[in-house]
Amino acid sequence: MRILVTGGAGYIGSVLVPTLLERDHDVTVLDTFSRGTTELASCCRFETFRPVRGDARDERLLDNLVPRADAIIPLAAMVGAPLCDADPLAARSINRDAVIAIAKRAQKSQILIYPTTNSGYGIGEPDIPCTEETPLRPISLYGRTKMDAEKVVIHHGGTSLRLATVFGMSPRMRIDLLVNDFTWRALTDHALVVFEGHFKRNYIHIRDVVGGFEHVLNNYNEMQGKAYNLGLSTANLSKLELCAEIKKHVPGFVYWEAPIGEDQDKRNYIVSNAKLERTGWRARWSLSEGLKELIRGYKMLRNSRYANI
Ligand SMILES: NC(=O)c1ccc[n+]([C@@H]2O[C@H](COP(=O)([O-])OP(=O)(O)OC[C@H]3O[C@@H](n4cnc5c(N)ncnc54)[C@H](O)[C@@H]3O)[C@@H](O)[C@H]2O)c1
């Protein structure tokens, strides 16, 4: 297939794009490449890889690129509530309007797979898992722009994957994601103060997210026009439970709870991934395997721009 991935140089894209190329797909990546780094270096050996430096909001580029694709995966976004609050105009135009612009140009015969966040479930009921029928109540601008775009994608006949919080190593690493962040702090500071420690979330390994996209590509006829939660069913954990899991791998890790902050999206929910699992998708990566991967990966990272060590 010819696949267009916007934002393909990001945390998810830089694992997804090489995988798609290895499966013999032609992949065009439209990204600003604003970091100017080498996340997709391993892709350049493929003749079938086409990087396009540009803005996912540029309608002239979309006029040119969308009709050539058999499948479109719009990843380009301002990701996370703090980033969106720092630049609300960019958040609306990239997270919502650029996705609407793609949906407008896409034919029904083209595959459209969109990742959104399951943080839109917000404050859930204790012990009652959120399903795709649970009302969405996104609070932050990030959550609202992602849900607005999802509505358009579903109305168009595309598929939306409501991702749990992603963890694992990527060529474009993000240590601001909860599991990645806590593990980083456990290894570097050996200590962590947790707020809202009993708030529960669902998690998913980055390679299982890639597996989710591939699963939709392979089963699009049955899955189009629908939303699916994509998370690890064995990992609906509170932040304190997550710390306990990390401590199993980092024994010296000390953590305690204090009211030092608040989650803007009030994320406290457990999620059912049964609808996606009924279509045959299975998570392959456990939380424990992901933690071991992060511990190996973090041996190579340094966050010391203003220090000698
Ligand atoms: N990582 C998660 O836990 C998670 C969870 C749920 C949903 N998602 C969704 O998955 C997608 C990818 O997330 P990520 O974690 O890889 O984020 P990321 O920030 O690592 O990557 C985003 C990419 O988009 C590019 N980009 C941003 N604005 C652009 C523009 N105007 N034009 C072209 N490219 C642009 C960036 O250069 C970057 O390469 C996003 O849509 C996000 O909302 C991610």
Side-chain angles (χ1 to χ4, degrees):
M1 274 189 225
R2 287 164 304 174
I3 304 178
L4 170 63
V5 183
T6 73
Y11 174 68
I12 293 176
S14 57
V15 179
L16 173 69
V17 172
T19 308
L20 295 174
L21 288 163
E22 280 158 18
R23 303 263 195 269
D24 287 337
H25 296 296
D26 281 31
V27 186
T28 297
V29 169
L30 170 60
D31 200 298
T32 53
F33 299 111
S34 57
R35 288 178 301 279
T37 39
T38 54
E39 289 84 3
L40 298 181
S42 70
C43 300
C44 300
R45 69 195 161 103
F46 291 93
E47 299 255 347
T48 48
F49 173 53
R50 182 173 170 225
V52 177
R53 182 187 291 275
D55 197 302
R57 296 168 289 187
D58 184 336
E59 303 214 352
R60 291 162 308 174
L61 277 175
L62 297 180
D63 283 342
N64 183 275
L65 297 175
V66 171
R68 297 174 185 211
D70 302 310
I72 305 145
I73 304 180
L75 301 182
M78 303 273 284
V79 183
L83 195 59
C84 290
D85 290 346
D87 192 344
L89 278 181
R92 289 191 189 93
S93 59
I94 302 171
N95 295 9
R96 184 192 60 202
D97 301 343
V99 178
I100 296 174
I102 287 173
K104 265 193 196 155
R105 284 165 178 76
Q107 304 292 319
K108 298 282 176 200
S109 56
Q110 290 173 292
I111 294 173
L112 178 59
I113 312 172
Y114 175 70
T116 185
T117 161
N118 71 14
S119 67
Y121 292 128
I123 308 165
E125 304 281 328
D127 301 325
I128 301 179
C130 297
T131 70
E132 292 75 2
E133 312 309 319
T134 304
L136 290 160
R137 290 179 286 238
I139 298 166
S140 69
L141 179 61
Y142 174 60
R144 285 185 275 123
T145 53
K146 295 295 293 182
M147 289 305 155
D148 288 347
E150 184 194 74
K151 267 187 218 144
V152 174
V153 167
I154 301 282
H155 186 253
H156 174 82
T159 301
S160 169
L161 295 172
R162 293 181 182 164
L163 272 48
T165 300
V166 186
F167 61 88
M169 289 299 296
S170 162
R172 154 12 187 197
M173 194 51 196
R174 282 188 57 197
I175 55 171
D176 56 323
L177 292 162
L178 197 76
V179 178
N180 296 355
D181 176 30
F182 281 16
T183 308
W184 174 259
R185 287 169 199 265
L187 286 168
T188 54
D189 300 341
H190 314 289
L192 174 68
V193 182
V194 178
F195 61 86
E196 297 173 334
H198 295 283
F199 275 27
K200 289 202 171 199
R201 304 251 293 263
N202 192 211
Y203 307 97
I204 183 75
H205 190 275
I206 188 163
R207 292 194 181 273
D208 282 329
V209 173
V210 170
F213 282 112
E214 289 190 280
H215 182 73
V216 182
L217 281 174
N218 296 332
N219 298 279
Y220 193 65
N221 284 346
E222 301 90 80
M223 299 181 76
Q224 66 180 122
K226 297 177 194 144
Y228 295 86
N229 295 332
L230 198 177
L232 182 56
S233 296
T234 53
N236 276 302
L237 298 177
S238 72
K239 291 189 211 172
L240 290 172
E241 288 166 338
L242 173 62
C243 287
E245 289 301 315
I246 295 171
K247 195 174 166 71
K248 287 181 191 165
H249 298 275
V250 188
F253 176 38
V254 182
Y255 56 92
W256 63 99
E257 193 175 7
I260 56 162
E262 254 182 57
D263 179 354
Q264 285 189 45
D265 265 319
K266 301 282 167 234
R267 287 166 288 189
N268 183 19
Y269 49 84
I270 57 173
V271 179
S272 164
N273 302 295
K275 182 176 172 188
L276 185 59
E277 287 164 356
R278 279 197 297 275
T279 68
W281 174 85
R282 286 286 172 280
R284 293 200 166 86
W285 286 77
S286 67
L287 179 63
S288 173
E289 285 167 323
L291 293 175
K292 286 193 271 186
E293 174 190 310
L294 287 169
I295 291 166
R296 280 193 294 276
Y298 286 167
K299 290 256 190 262
M300 302 181 289
L301 288 197
R302 284 174 77 192
N303 224 1
S304 57
R305 195 164 162 206
Y306 297 108
N308 278 357
I309 52 161

